[in-house]
């Protein structure tokens, strides 16, 4: 907490000096605030949001002025931080973790002229929208690549917490495995953390000991990629491009790119056209990117790229029926697409997943 | 479970327990001298970031480890200057050191996030490492793990048989009595704190140079706190600390192994196991109150004024 206070103070001092400097300019810059749950140096979730902020600054130059507060715990502290950002003149505030949802809406009620954007939630208000990324689209491609590249038919999935986003992505990988390599088995290990390099590496090593030869991760550090490189198996990176940590192990990374969204939202606030929305962007919106396919035969890479193109164009949708749950009941009929509002809160596993869903 | 799997579990147990062991041994010496330094996490992070940057820029792992130790020591001297030199509250100073170290390491390391290095590789000792079950665990590790075996032996011997060890204990039990005997109370405490700092720096360097050769903010993820708790639950005994550290390592790895094998046990329950098992077992073996009291430094955390 002290750390974020420190950053806030630095931000405030910086903001002050910039504001004084801004008097000479013709128009005042639009002030934009960001709240992060982790440190910007996690090389994962918060890091990618900060990359989005930097891209925004680069795009608009001195027309905008951004402030961020990092490592803000979800809960009462968050409300105070968001309120402070609103008080100090920020006209657009991005709050980038699930637990900031209620604090964001509470502050939004008092500051009617400030626009709020909350990531990964589901509530909106007149001046508060929310946004989410379709990581499952990228994860489906990862499932395809894993299905093609495994020799042992054992795929590992390092999971953080059983929330809808993680359950959805485990499901999408299982769907891809079923389609492209029904013999492949998905091993899931929960590490109960978004970020603990040591534990993520331990989980990867345990999986490799048990015969896994492709590792997928739903945690934020590149430690699993590194463990895969050391042990000579394959891995898929998460949130940011992790290819440098596994020159021989890296197959692909599912990268969250928030730049386009942040630039669009800022432009809308500048133009006065901003409206609250439930925004869920994926490959088509360039929010989910797969920078490169590496260490695989050209034929696999070509087919994977085709999959990306089909998902992008909307020709293919990963959650297309028939989809059964673990009990074997049909949840999505053949040929139908699972509606997004059901996918958002999904809390059951598809047939074939060897795990128990949380109650 | 087949024999290969058990061999690998034992190997991973020692690797996982090693950073805890190193930090806890350092803190043990520090606490036996009567000084409670809660800054482990901050010193570890500084060791990790300094070691990483040095190795990245010079290409030398040895230099990285040496400067990681130096960084930990410097941090501990900052603590000592305030807590011993100025007689400030040790708990508050230690907490401040953790917060300071976390922030400073993040600041220094910001430019190095996402940069990979080649880490310290394990060295398998011929023949010995092929002994079934325990060969890989004891003889196929990296140099820091071998060093940690030696450090354990050293600390154990230090308190059991050395004169200096006796001095440290005397200073922690009753600094006034030690002082009137002519023992150098303050010098002993400074040295004990420096040793603790160096060990924390080494453990941090182990994380960023060997365990997961990368730098990321707050990458210690609470290991310093676990080590602190370990010292207390091991009732300030080196032999119980090594036992506790490996027990924690074993429980952490088994949590993952059991999940991978697909046994239907709740992951939440499994995640709790390392903490529950370690505390339970150590409390059980330390349940003799009289004996435990014998090992508890009586003056722990209390400042000492030589002239009052």
């Amino acid at each position: 907490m002290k750390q974020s206070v420190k950053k806030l103070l630095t931000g405030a001092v910086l903001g002050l000096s910039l504001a004084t400097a801004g008097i000479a300019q013709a128009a005042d810059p639009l002030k934009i605030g960001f709240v992060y749950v982790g440190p910007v140096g996690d090389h994962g979730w918060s890091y990618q949001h900060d990359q989005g902020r930097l891209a925004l600054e680069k795009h608009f130059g001195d027309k905008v002025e951004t402030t961020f507060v990092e490592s803000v715990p979800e809960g009462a502290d968050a409300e105070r931080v968001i309120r402070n950002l609103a008080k100090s003149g920020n006209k657009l505030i991005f709050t980038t973790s699930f637990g900031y949802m209620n604090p964001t809406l509470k502050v939004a009620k008092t500051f009617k002229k400030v626009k709020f954007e909350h990531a990964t939630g589901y509530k909106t208000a007149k001046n508060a929208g929310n946004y989410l990324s379709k990581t499952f689209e990228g994860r489906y491609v990862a499932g395809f690549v894993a299905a093609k590249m495994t020799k042992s038919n054992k795929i590992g999935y390092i999971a953080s917490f059983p929330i809808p986003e993680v359950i959805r992505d485990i499901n999408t990988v299982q769907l891809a495995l079923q389609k492209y390599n029904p013999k492949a088995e998905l091993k899931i290990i929960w590490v109960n953390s978004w970020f603990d390099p040591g534990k993520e590496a331990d989980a990867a090593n345990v999986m490799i000991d048990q015969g896994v030869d492709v590792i997928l991760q739903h945690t934020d550090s590149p430690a699993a990629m590194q463990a895969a490189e050391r042990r000579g198996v394959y891995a898929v990176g998460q949130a940011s491009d992790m290819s440098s940590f596994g020159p021989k192990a890296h197959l692909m990374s599912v990268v969250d790119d928030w730049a386009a969204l942040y630039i669009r939202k800022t432009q809308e606030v500048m133009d006065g056209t901003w409206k609250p929305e439930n925004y869920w962007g994926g490959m088509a919106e360039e929010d989910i990117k797969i920078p490169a396919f590496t260490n695989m035969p050209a034929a696999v890479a070509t087919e994977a790229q085709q999959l990306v193109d089909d998902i992008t164009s909307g020709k293919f949708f990963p959650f297309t029926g028939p989809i059964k749950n673990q009990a074997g009941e049909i949840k999505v009929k053949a040929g139908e697409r699972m509606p997004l509002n059901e996918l958002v809160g999904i809390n059951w596993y598809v047939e074939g997943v060897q795990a128990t869903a949380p109650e | 479970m087949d024999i290969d799997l058990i061999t690998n579990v034992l190997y991973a147990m020692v690797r996982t327990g090693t950073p805890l062991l190193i930090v806890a041994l350092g803190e043990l010496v520090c606490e036996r001298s009567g000084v409670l330094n809660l800054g482990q996490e901050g010193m570890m992070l500084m060791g990790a970031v300094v070691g990483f940057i040095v190795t990245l820029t010079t290409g030398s792992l040895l230099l990285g480890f040496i400067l990681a130790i130096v960084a930990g020591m410097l941090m501990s001297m900052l603590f000592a200057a305030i807590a011993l030199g100025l007689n400030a509250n040790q708990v508050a100073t230690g907490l401040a050191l953790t917060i300071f170290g976390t922030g400073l390491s993040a600041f220094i390391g910001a430019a190095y996030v996402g940069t990979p290095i080649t880490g310290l590789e394990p060295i398998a000792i011929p023949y010995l490492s092929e002994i079934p079950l325990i060969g890989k665990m004891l003889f196929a590790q990296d140099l820091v793990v071998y060093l940690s075996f030696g450090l354990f032996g050293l600390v154990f011997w230090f308190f059991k048989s050395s004169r200096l060890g006796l001095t440290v204990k005397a200073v922690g039990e009753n600094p006034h009595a030690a002082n009137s005997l002519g023992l150098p109370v303050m010098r002993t405490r400074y040295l004990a704190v420096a040793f603790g700092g160096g060990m924390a720096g080494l453990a941090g360097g182990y994380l960023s140079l060997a365990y997961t050769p990368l730098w990321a903010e707050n990458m210690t993820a609470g290991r310093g706190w676990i080590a602190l708790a370990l010292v207390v639950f091991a009732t300030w005994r080196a032999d119980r600390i090594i036992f506790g550290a490996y027990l924690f390592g074993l429980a952490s790895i088994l949590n993952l192994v059991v999940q991978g094998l697909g046994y239907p046990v709740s992951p939440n329950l499994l995640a709790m196991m390392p903490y529950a098992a370690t505390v339970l077992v150590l409390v059980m073996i330390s349940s003799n109150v009289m004996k435990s009291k014998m090992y508890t430094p009586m003056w722990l955390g209390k400042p000492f004024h030589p002239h009052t």
Side-chain angles (χ1 to χ4, degrees), chain B residues 279-293:
Chain B
V279 169
L280 198 70
V281 171
L282 287 175
V283 166
M284 270 162 62
I285 59 171
S286 313
S287 60
N288 186 327
V289 180
M290 271 315 288
K291 265 194 164 171
S292 298
K293 264 195 175 157

Side-chain angles (χ1 to χ4, degrees), chain A residues 2-3 6-7 38-43 47 70-71 162 185 187-192 195-199 201-203 205-206 209-210 221-223 226 230-231 244-245 354 356, chain B residues 5 8-9 15-16 99 102-103 106 113-117 119-121 136 209-219 221 223 253 255-261 267-268 271 275:
Chain A
K2 280 277 156 60
Q3 202 188 346
K6 182 198 73 192
K7 281 282 157 67
V40 292
D42 66 357
H43 202 67
Y47 176 81
E70 63 178 347
S71 301
E185 172 201 354
K187 274 182 192 284
I188 301 164
I189 292 188
W190 299 92
V191 292
N192 292 295
F195 180 78
D196 182 340
K199 214 168 189 181
D202 287 345
N205 280 314
V206 163
D209 288 343
Q210 295 180 1
S221 93
Q226 223 171 18
R230 277 181 156 187
R231 302 280 300 267
S244 60
F245 286 91
Q354 302 294 322
T356 322
Chain B
L5 194 58
N8 285 330
V9 166
R15 268 177 67 82
T16 312
I99 294 163
T102 310
V113 171
T115 317
I117 55 166
L120 187 66
E121 293 295 329
K136 196 173 174 193
L209 297 176
Y211 204 79
T212 51
L214 58 91
W215 164 251
E217 263 179 55
N218 211 2
M219 66 182 295
R223 282 174 182 75
I253 291 301
N255 156 26
L256 304 172
V257 170
V258 168
Q259 288 191 50
L261 293 176
N268 297 330
Y275 306 91

